[in-house]
Amino acid sequence: MSNSTPTRERIVEEAMHLFSQHGYTATSIAKIESAAGLTPGAGGLYHHFKSKEAVLAAGIERQLERLSALREIRNVLGSLGDVRAELTLTARYVLAELDNESELLRILASDVRNRPKVLTAAADELVSSTFTGFATWIGETVGRPMSADEAEAMAVFGLGSLLSSRLLRDVLGISVRVDDETLTGTWVQMMAMALANPLQPSSR
């Protein structure tokens, strides 16, 4: 992040935590200043950011920088030469990264409609481009002819199921009664079966 200082970083970190807990609208500048160790209401935040939205934008930029490897999921997979091993690595890596970015998930879920300029692009980078990278890997790896549409559908199915497990828990507060090892094993089995068998055409 450019022109970074310890105070600026502290403001961003505390603001993202507050945004995830209370929502963007309900989080005042004074609350951010207080959490960051500044005098609340004295305007210290404005020495580092021109607005609350600028703080949000900086926080999202920081989070997305951390997720650069996730967005380049093909590079994470490498070339193990074993589809099940690569799928296992994918599931474990995606779940770990989603855990690291639970604050960003909560912010996106609660405020994306209210802050479209900043958050829509973040949602696209976090989700859509990751799906695209996984779909490309599927198309390159599967040992049978596969259309781009089928590869994309499988990517949405696969990554969407992993994402939903974290959305249920971290955003909606719904307990998922399956441990990650069982979830990963089941996911790998289902994805491997789907990759091996062509989609059946609709009867309609």
Side-chain angles (χ1 to χ4, degrees):
M1 188 184 299
S2 60
N3 66 330
S4 178
T5 67
T7 301
R8 180 186 171 93
E9 288 290 339
R10 194 164 64 250
I11 290 169
V12 171
E13 182 174 350
E14 295 298 339
M16 292 297 281
H17 180 67
L18 289 169
F19 293 154
S20 74
Q21 294 297 316
H22 308 293
Y24 176 87
T25 302
T27 301
S28 66
I29 292 289
K31 285 181 180 178
I32 297 172
E33 289 173 333
S34 178
L38 303 174
T39 303
L45 179 144
Y46 294 108
H47 293 298
H48 303 275
F49 298 95
K50 65 180 181 180
S51 66
K52 185 169 70 169
E53 186 161 323
V55 179
L56 175 62
I60 289 171
E61 178 187 354
R62 184 185 68 168
Q63 304 297 87
L64 292 179
E65 285 174 357
R66 292 176 179 176
L67 286 173
S68 59
L70 180 57
R71 298 198 307 276
E72 296 292 335
I73 198 165
R74 290 167 64 199
N75 295 336
V76 177
L77 292 171
S79 55
L80 299 177
D82 182 329
V83 171
R84 283 182 175 266
E86 292 178 356
L87 286 169
T88 301
L89 176 61
T90 299
R92 288 176 176 166
Y93 186 82
V94 169
L95 290 173
E97 288 301 320
L98 289 172
D99 286 342
N100 289 337
E101 302 306 331
S102 59
E103 284 186 357
L104 180 57
L105 285 178
R106 286 194 293 271
I107 293 169
L108 291 174
S110 64
D111 284 299
V112 70
R113 292 182 179 178
N114 299 323
R115 317 303 305 174
K117 289 184 179 179
V118 176
L119 292 174
T120 302
D124 183 65
E125 279 209 64
L126 176 63
V127 178
S128 300
S129 60
T130 306
F131 284 10
T132 299
F134 190 45
T136 301
W137 174 81
I138 288 172
E140 293 174 348
T141 304
V142 68
R144 62 176 176 80
M146 176 181 287
S147 69
D149 286 346
E150 185 181 354
E152 185 173 342
M154 288 193 179
V156 170
F157 164 76
L159 294 184
S161 61
L162 297 176
L163 177 60
S164 69
S165 73
R166 287 335 194 221
L167 290 175
L168 286 171
R169 187 192 69 186
D170 296 336
V171 177
L172 299 179
I174 298 172
S175 176
V176 179
R177 299 180 182 179
V178 179
D179 63 83
D180 281 357
E181 201 61 32
T182 303
L183 175 64
T184 297
T186 303
W187 185 86
V188 169
Q189 183 174 353
M190 292 180 68
M191 285 297 298
M193 290 173 60
L195 292 176
N197 297 286
L199 287 175
Q200 297 300 313
S202 173
S203 57
R204 291 193 300 170

